[in-house]
Amino acid sequence: MSRENGFVIVGGGLAAGKAAEELRQQGYDGPLVLIGDEAERPYIRPPLSKGYLLGKEDRESIFVHPVNWYREHDVDLLTGTRVTAIDTHARQVELAGGRRMSYTKLLLATGSSPRRLTVPGADLDNVLYLRRVGDSERLKAAFTPGARIVVVGGGWIGLETAAAARTAGALVTVLEHSELPLLKVLGREAAEVFADLHRDHGVVLRPHAAVERITGDGTRADGVQLADGTRLPADAVVVGIGITPNVQLAEAAGLKVRNGIVTDEGLRTSAQDVHAAGDVANVYHPRLGRYLRVEHWANALHQPRTAALAMLGKDAAYNRLPYFYTDQYDLGMEYTGYTEPGGYDRVVFRGDPAERRFIAFWLSGDRVLAGMSVNEWNVIDSIRALIESAASVADTALSDPETPLEGLLP
């Protein structure tokens, strides 16, 4: 099959792999090229900080498709190939080495990159990040019984890697710049649940921590020096301080970029016949009435269907509520909805947070904006339906375990 004048997908993650699948399922039978800069075929990233890192999932399980899928579906898969430029006027992408490839429709699923620590010593060998499969394998090798692991950052990646390290028997300290891990994301009530979880498993949490430098012998790190004068010995340092969308290609091509590649609800960018999906896309969300860039697996899984339909000229709008999940120790959590810090009045609990089995609801007035289930299963669809209904609900009904969530729907 000719690679010229077909649909081109740039990216090597879940969004790219699912977009190829969706295009074929929606009936597109023309030339289809998927270009990824990693040596691996498209794979799923959550296991890198969860099951794969813990040794519960094998390597083959992380891939979006079996190795033969791309050949069987006439997808021209170019791995280890970097796109260096996009020419939206000529409708071409340029590859490293100068070769140019024409497209009729282009999807950018370029994902994101870890934000780098910029203090002295941050470039030492055993200062580790987590984004790619090789990163997960380096962490797995570092997480050994008795190893001293310092985690910089108390977000989801920081806490999941801390849990994996403790499960492996390492001695773990988490440095958090605010008072509690996840405080900005979840608010105080729910953040305290995760802080207590890690303390109960032997993790040392250091709030209001500022890293001054990473100490070492010029090659390997051996500790973390804090601004208050404390030095923490370390056999490895894990940095999880957020990610940055990979917008360089889009920006250089003149696409509208603002906290990601800006798209409409159909994932169309400001350039004709160019779409974006996944971590890199800042999408207008018709249900929420705002632009939203979500750095979670669910967007990469579900947005490609909308992108594929729009690329084929069909009506499509991405309006799914944000969703994410985490597994840490014996705690499993699912969250759906959206609320900003200060954007809600209160949190109502159904169940006892101290027992780590509950549902939490974030409310504004009498409307549920977001919900989280902790070790309570098969309820997330009901929570989603309650949010989408915009129903007026009383706190007493939300907190009463005898009141079915389905009964609160209008």
Side-chain angles (χ1 to χ4, degrees):
M1 178 181 289
S2 170
R3 296 172 177 173
E4 297 300 314
N5 297 312
F7 284 18
V8 173
I9 301 168
V10 180
L14 176 60
K18 290 300 288 186
E21 178 183 319
E22 287 288 350
L23 284 166
R24 289 301 188 222
Q25 286 187 352
Q26 297 299 329
Y28 175 69
D29 59 3
L32 179 56
V33 184
L34 194 159
I35 308 169
D37 65 358
E38 294 189 59
E40 310 286 351
R41 67 188 188 275
Y43 60 87
I44 307 166
R45 298 190 193 276
L48 304 187
S49 63
K50 298 180 176 72
Y52 185 63
L53 180 57
L54 288 163
K56 295 179 179 178
E57 299 176 32
D58 63 24
R59 203 172 196 276
E60 189 60 28
S61 71
I62 71 173
F63 294 103
V64 181
H65 300 113
V67 67
N68 293 329
W69 184 90
Y70 298 91
R71 176 177 51 79
E72 292 168 354
H73 291 82
D74 290 325
V75 177
D76 199 349
L77 178 62
L78 305 182
T79 58
T81 303
R82 189 166 59 89
V83 175
T84 56
I86 301 165
D87 185 334
T88 58
H89 300 291
R91 294 172 179 263
Q92 292 181 330
V93 296
E94 183 176 307
L95 310 183
R99 181 184 164 201
R100 296 171 74 90
M101 182 183 296
S102 299
Y103 66 83
T104 53
K105 298 287 175 74
L106 175 65
L107 175 66
L108 299 177
T110 48
S112 53
S113 297
R115 198 168 289 134
R116 314 299 286 191
L117 198 60
T118 57
V119 300
D123 56 349
L124 294 172
D125 282 352
N126 51 333
V127 176
L128 307 176
Y129 294 81
L130 180 58
R131 184 62 184 171
R132 300 190 169 197
V133 62
D135 299 334
S136 183
E137 289 162 356
R138 289 189 72 193
L139 290 175
K140 193 185 301 186
F143 294 169
T144 57
R148 299 165 300 179
I149 306 296
V150 176
V151 179
V152 182
W156 295 116
I157 290 295
L159 293 187
E160 288 179 357
T161 54
R166 276 300 293 146
T167 301
L171 307 174
V172 181
T173 300
V174 173
L175 307 180
E176 167 57 39
H177 65 83
S178 66
E179 183 184 349
L180 289 167
L182 303 174
L183 182 60
K184 185 177 178 181
V185 179
L186 296 179
R188 176 172 300 279
E189 299 94 336
E192 285 175 343
V193 172
F194 285 90
D196 289 343
L197 172 72
H198 281 268
R199 290 191 192 103
D200 288 352
H201 282 84
V203 173
V204 176
L205 301 180
R206 293 189 67 105
H208 306 298
V211 176
E212 190 172 84
R213 63 189 175 97
I214 308 296
T215 63
D217 61 6
T219 301
R220 291 184 60 80
D222 61 16
V224 179
Q225 183 79 39
L226 302 183
D228 66 5
T230 305
R231 180 183 175 278
L232 304 172
D235 297 302
V237 178
V238 181
V239 180
I241 54 175
I243 60 177
T244 302
N246 294 328
V247 298
Q248 298 87 338
L249 277 175
E251 208 162 34
L255 275 63
K256 186 175 182 181
V257 170
R258 185 182 68 248
N259 181 31
I261 303 171
V262 177
T263 80
D264 66 9
E265 63 270 22
L267 303 176
R268 305 171 189 88
T269 73
S270 58
Q272 187 175 1
D273 296 324
V274 180
H275 297 69
D279 282 4
V280 77
N282 187 7
V283 182
Y284 182 77
H285 197 291
R287 187 183 301 278
L288 298 173
R290 54 162 294 153
Y291 287 89
L292 200 61
R293 188 176 68 81
V294 179
E295 301 166 351
H296 292 292
W297 158 88
N299 268 22
L301 179 68
H302 296 296
Q303 282 185 351
R305 184 174 191 275
T306 300
L309 289 169
M311 291 170 78
L312 294 169
K314 301 176 182 179
D315 288 336
Y318 189 76
N319 63 1
R320 288 181 69 94
L321 289 173
Y323 166 91
F324 62 91
Y325 72 100
T326 190
D327 296 306
Q328 299 173 35
Y329 311 109
D330 55 354
L331 182 149
M333 180 276 276
E334 294 182 278
Y335 176 104
T336 190
Y338 177 77
T339 181
E340 295 179 305
Y344 59 94
D345 302 333
R346 63 202 181 282
V347 181
V348 173
F349 288 92
R350 174 179 291 210
D352 186 357
E355 295 180 2
R356 299 188 192 124
R357 186 172 180 179
F358 63 90
I359 304 172
F361 303 93
W362 282 258
L363 288 96
S364 177
D366 58 2
R367 284 186 52 204
V368 177
L369 304 178
M372 178 175 78
S373 63
V374 171
N375 290 339
E376 290 278 4
W377 304 110
N378 303 316
V379 296
I380 203 69
D381 288 342
S382 298
I383 295 171
R384 182 183 295 112
L386 186 58
I387 298 166
E388 290 177 344
S389 74
S392 297
V393 289
D395 290 10
T396 51
L398 286 173
S399 62
D400 180 10
E402 301 302 316
T403 302
L405 294 179
E406 296 81 359
L408 302 178
L409 296 172

